[in-house]
Amino acid sequence: LKGVTRRAAIMKLSGRTDILPYGNEFDELAKAYDQHEQIVEIFGTQDQKGKVIFMDAYPVEWPNGLFRVDIMNPHYGPYYSNPSEENPPADWYNPVPVPYLTVNTDVIYRFVLASEKENRDLLNAAVEWLKFALENIGVGAKGNQGYGVFQLKE
């Protein structure tokens, strides 16, 4: 959570919420904001600990179960296994369903951040950036397919 919140902070502080939070363009932006006062104070550096603590997120309600099975259905197995002229990506291969576990869509999580009382403004900034990250960037894998993106409930 700390990493994706840092990415959101860089996007928000730079005003560049239109770019993807990875890749060369973002890396250049991150270099420019690495020493920004709020970034250093909240997230820390190699030599200084951050003033906001990011706890693990835990599911607290799962009305329809915590997990469900999803299926990935690759159609071009031979091509992906051995790309060559003998194995072009073509429609004559048989798809091979691959089931995997995902977290159900209606699971409610609790996210906890903490700081000392004198760091309340930093904590509030970190909370806002975490909210932006959860709603717009997402956490975990398969973000382009909509996994890991949250709808917030206060």
Side-chain angles (χ1 to χ4, degrees):
L1 294 176
K2 187 175 180 180
V4 74
T5 303
R6 183 180 174 279
R7 288 180 179 276
I10 291 167
M11 292 169 74
K12 295 290 278 184
L13 288 169
S14 69
R16 293 296 313 275
T17 57
D18 60 319
I19 67 169
L20 295 173
Y22 48 83
N24 292 337
E25 187 177 10
F26 181 82
D27 291 346
E28 290 301 316
L29 194 59
K31 286 178 191 172
Y33 280 84
D34 266 348
Q35 297 307 311
H36 187 281
E37 182 180 358
Q38 277 187 300
I39 298 284
V40 170
E41 285 193 282
I42 290 172
F43 302 101
T45 65
Q46 292 290 335
D47 301 319
Q48 168 188 330
K49 73 177 186 172
K51 294 180 178 175
V52 175
I53 300 166
F54 290 75
M55 309 288 186
D56 290 334
Y58 290 99
V60 292
E61 292 180 38
W62 48 93
N64 294 309
L66 187 55
F67 299 110
R68 67 181 175 90
V69 175
D70 204 345
I71 296 173
M72 182 171 40
N73 212 8
H75 285 68
Y76 310 119
Y79 169 74
Y80 291 128
S81 297
N82 184 18
S84 68
E85 288 183 24
E86 291 127 27
N87 295 324
D91 289 334
W92 56 75
Y93 299 123
N94 290 324
V96 179
V98 179
Y100 59 96
L101 282 180
T102 64
V103 176
N104 237 332
T105 56
D106 55 358
V107 174
I108 297 174
Y109 280 81
R110 176 162 295 128
F111 295 85
V112 178
L113 279 63
S115 71
E116 300 287 334
K117 281 185 183 179
E118 66 269 11
N119 298 322
R120 185 68 55 197
D121 290 342
L122 295 175
L123 177 64
N124 291 337
V127 166
E128 289 307 309
W129 293 334
L130 175 60
K131 288 178 181 179
F132 177 83
L134 293 172
E135 288 182 308
N136 297 283
I137 300 171
V139 294
K142 293 186 162 281
N144 289 339
Q145 287 81 32
Y147 292 96
V149 177
F150 288 76
Q151 294 177 344
L152 299 182
K153 284 176 69 174
E154 296 291 328

